[in-house]
Amino acid sequence: MNIIDELKWRDAINQQTDEKGLNDLVDEKKVGLYVGIDPTGDSMHIGHLIPFMILKRFQLAGHRPYIVIGGATGSIGDPSGKKAERKLQTMDVVEDNARKISGQMEKLFGQDGSFKIVNNYDWTSKLSLLDFLRDYGKLFNVNTMLNKEVVASRLEVGISYTEFTYQILQSIDFLHLFENEDVQVQIGGADQWGNITAGIDLIHKIKGADAKAYGLTIPLMLKADGTKFGKTEGGAVWLDPEKTSPYEFYQFWINQDDRDVVKYLKYFTFLSEDEINDLSDKVKTAPEKREAQRRLAEEVTEFVHGKDAVKEAENITKALFSGNVADLTANEIEQGFKNMPSVDVTNEKKNIVEWLVDVTKIEPSRRQAREDVTNGAVRINGEKVQDTDAEINPATHFDGKFVVVRKGKKRYFLARIK
């Protein structure tokens, strides 16, 4: 099967502007194609990842991916999917965000020269107002623009002229890449259909109706319960490890519902059809083993964070399940206990009872502390301590940065050494 056939099998195509034309094109040549992203934040989240997974598949199939960082479009705001105006950011913030997102793209797409990152500020900033109005504005019919879903959905609450012109700027991007980089395909989310078709219309008006330019959108990703994919109680799942640790990232994927996991294996991994079908069978025959979820977590975490991050996440997962935390590294402790109750302490040595009550307040009273220690309900750094005369020395484990306390079977506490 060619790349389009594979995308269909993965249920990854929502709309195409010319299905036969695009299918013929990918069979004829190595195609240039792009996905754009506006640097409205300093990191991508997993919702952003969806169209870039498609772009990565084209890269692996030998085609020529381009990533457009919206240094210009990001400074005015895309109205797509928004119910109100975006808050404008300073150009310094936009540039810093663009730099960080470019770094994430290099991790995803490699540094072997098989893809290219460009910034639409480089060509858009050279346009004068008169050039914009005469060369491009004249080619856009306001009635047509108003009928685009991206604009029509905002008419009741209002849309500024700034955001109204967004589709013109995005169209100029497609034209620029078509003329200068031989890019013939734009890929985007379902909400980008209006912007993509506007770009194709502009290319046809300037280069001729026979110009081979195509658009492809990806379906809106919803979970089996109907809620939006990619959100958790803690908010977005980020690609930046400082915002969402690799362990948290891994846990997000491994905790997916049986009803969603096969769909996500198709979307977010590069496993073959046979491998995914085999995992699909295991979901039906042995769901309690969660093999599909584990493989999903391994594949996506490795793609975004690398093999070492997968190993760390698995180490943390096993240690928290078994209680054997002693062999974890300080970095693994930081990740695994990020959202658990924590307290700041000094590195002063203390009797265990005093430390649990006076220093950390993990225990409400000395009587309760002595009882829990004597009964074997307290573990310090993975080791059961039953001697009430034992001493806590914060410097003995995890590079002297942490003391891990487990009370009972599941209650963990983290003492951070300051």
Side-chain angles (χ1 to χ4, degrees):
M1 65 174 78
N2 68 15
I3 181 66
I4 301 299
D5 293 328
E6 181 186 351
L7 294 180
K8 287 179 181 177
W9 172 76
R10 291 181 184 272
D11 298 321
I13 297 178
N14 181 46
Q15 290 175 288
Q16 298 180 69
T17 54
D18 179 355
E19 182 174 348
K20 184 180 185 305
L22 181 55
N23 210 43
D24 291 343
L25 186 69
V26 298
D27 285 336
E28 291 171 6
K29 59 183 288 191
K30 301 303 181 185
V31 180
L33 61 166
Y34 88 96
V35 174
I37 181 169
D38 286 340
T40 52
D42 59 5
S43 172
M44 294 193 294
H45 55 68
I46 56 174
H48 293 130
L49 196 57
I50 299 171
F52 290 102
M53 295 300 298
I54 305 303
L55 195 64
K56 181 70 177 182
R57 295 189 200 286
F58 275 97
Q59 180 189 34
L60 295 174
H63 298 283
R64 300 182 294 107
Y66 285 74
I67 295 160
V68 176
I69 305 293
T73 46
S75 68
I76 69 167
D78 181 0
S80 302
K82 297 296 178 182
K83 296 179 180 179
E85 292 281 316
R86 289 180 184 267
K87 183 179 179 180
L88 295 181
Q89 302 186 75
T90 67
M91 289 306 298
D92 286 343
V93 170
V94 172
E95 289 172 6
D96 186 56
N97 290 345
R99 178 181 57 80
K100 290 175 180 177
I101 289 174
S102 294
Q104 291 181 338
M105 292 300 180
E106 289 172 358
K107 288 184 66 176
L108 297 179
F109 287 85
Q111 299 182 359
D112 59 359
S114 63
F115 85 106
K116 188 173 182 179
I117 298 175
V118 294
N119 190 320
N120 61 20
Y121 184 83
D122 293 341
W123 56 84
T124 306
S125 61
K126 296 174 183 177
L127 280 175
S128 71
L129 176 60
L130 289 177
D131 288 338
F132 173 78
L133 293 173
R134 289 174 61 89
D135 296 343
Y136 302 110
K138 198 71 175 175
L139 300 176
F140 285 79
N141 184 288
V142 170
N143 290 340
T144 302
M145 294 175 72
L146 289 172
N147 287 327
K148 299 281 188 182
E149 174 61 26
V150 64
V151 174
S153 62
R154 285 279 298 279
L155 291 181
E156 286 189 16
V157 296
I159 182 171
S160 69
Y161 180 74
T162 297
E163 290 197 6
F164 180 66
T165 62
Y166 185 94
Q167 62 181 278
I168 301 179
L169 293 183
Q170 187 167 320
S171 299
I172 294 172
D173 291 346
F174 200 171
L175 175 66
H176 176 87
L177 294 173
F178 183 88
E179 291 181 325
N180 295 279
E181 303 284 356
D182 190 28
V183 170
Q184 294 176 266
V185 184
Q186 183 181 357
I187 298 171
D191 62 350
Q192 291 297 311
W193 180 252
N195 292 331
I196 292 173
T197 54
I200 294 172
D201 289 343
L202 178 63
I203 291 171
H204 287 162
K205 288 175 181 177
I206 291 179
K207 309 304 292 185
D210 294 333
K212 294 183 177 181
Y214 306 93
L216 183 154
T217 62
I218 293 115
L220 177 66
M221 183 75 76
L222 295 175
K223 296 191 288 186
D225 62 9
T227 59
K228 191 173 182 180
F229 164 79
K231 298 290 185 180
T232 67
E233 291 182 4
V237 179
W238 301 98
L239 272 58
D240 183 346
E242 297 299 318
K243 290 175 173 286
T244 299
S245 72
Y247 167 72
E248 292 173 303
F249 190 85
Y250 179 92
Q251 286 297 311
F252 170 81
W253 296 104
I254 207 167
N255 287 321
Q256 290 305 315
D257 193 300
D258 287 346
R259 297 171 294 173
D260 291 319
V261 66
V262 175
K263 175 171 67 177
Y264 296 162
L265 283 166
K266 289 182 177 181
Y267 262 86
F268 293 104
T269 78
F270 303 100
L271 299 177
S272 69
E273 183 174 352
D274 288 343
E275 289 175 299
I276 292 175
N277 286 339
D278 180 57
L279 289 167
S280 178
D281 290 339
K282 290 177 180 177
V283 172
K284 298 171 185 174
T285 59
E288 72 283 357
K289 294 184 178 180
R290 300 185 70 76
E291 289 189 44
Q293 282 88 346
R294 186 169 64 252
R295 191 67 187 277
L296 174 67
E298 291 170 356
E299 293 292 321
V300 187
T301 305
E302 180 176 339
F303 177 60
V304 173
H305 294 297
K307 290 183 178 180
D308 288 345
V310 175
K311 184 177 180 181
E312 283 188 342
E314 291 175 340
N315 287 344
I316 297 167
T317 301
K318 292 174 184 176
L320 292 180
F321 181 77
S322 66
N324 298 324
V325 300
D327 293 333
L328 294 178
T329 66
N331 180 57
E332 289 169 344
I333 290 292
E334 182 73 58
Q335 291 187 57
F337 289 81
K338 180 179 178 181
N339 296 316
M340 293 185 184
S342 65
V343 62
D344 292 339
V345 301
T346 68
N347 61 0
E348 182 183 0
K349 299 177 183 178
K350 280 277 187 181
N351 168 267
I352 188 170
V353 173
E354 294 178 15
W355 191 83
L356 288 171
V357 178
D358 300 334
V359 178
T360 65
K361 296 182 171 45
I362 291 172
E363 291 282 11
S365 67
R366 281 179 166 75
R367 181 194 63 77
Q368 186 66 55
R370 284 192 291 269
E371 183 178 320
D372 286 343
V373 170
T374 303
N375 292 338
V378 175
R379 289 178 180 266
I380 303 295
N381 297 328
E383 297 180 5
K384 185 184 294 185
V385 180
Q386 292 182 272
D387 182 1
T388 56
D389 291 326
E391 184 179 68
I392 298 292
N393 181 358
T396 57
H397 286 76
F398 314 125
D399 300 333
K401 295 180 179 179
F402 308 106
V403 176
V404 176
V405 181
R406 192 178 89 176
K407 183 179 173 183
K409 292 184 177 181
K410 295 183 178 180
R411 294 182 65 196
Y412 281 97
F413 302 87
L414 181 67
R416 298 175 180 273
I417 314 305
K418 298 296 183 182

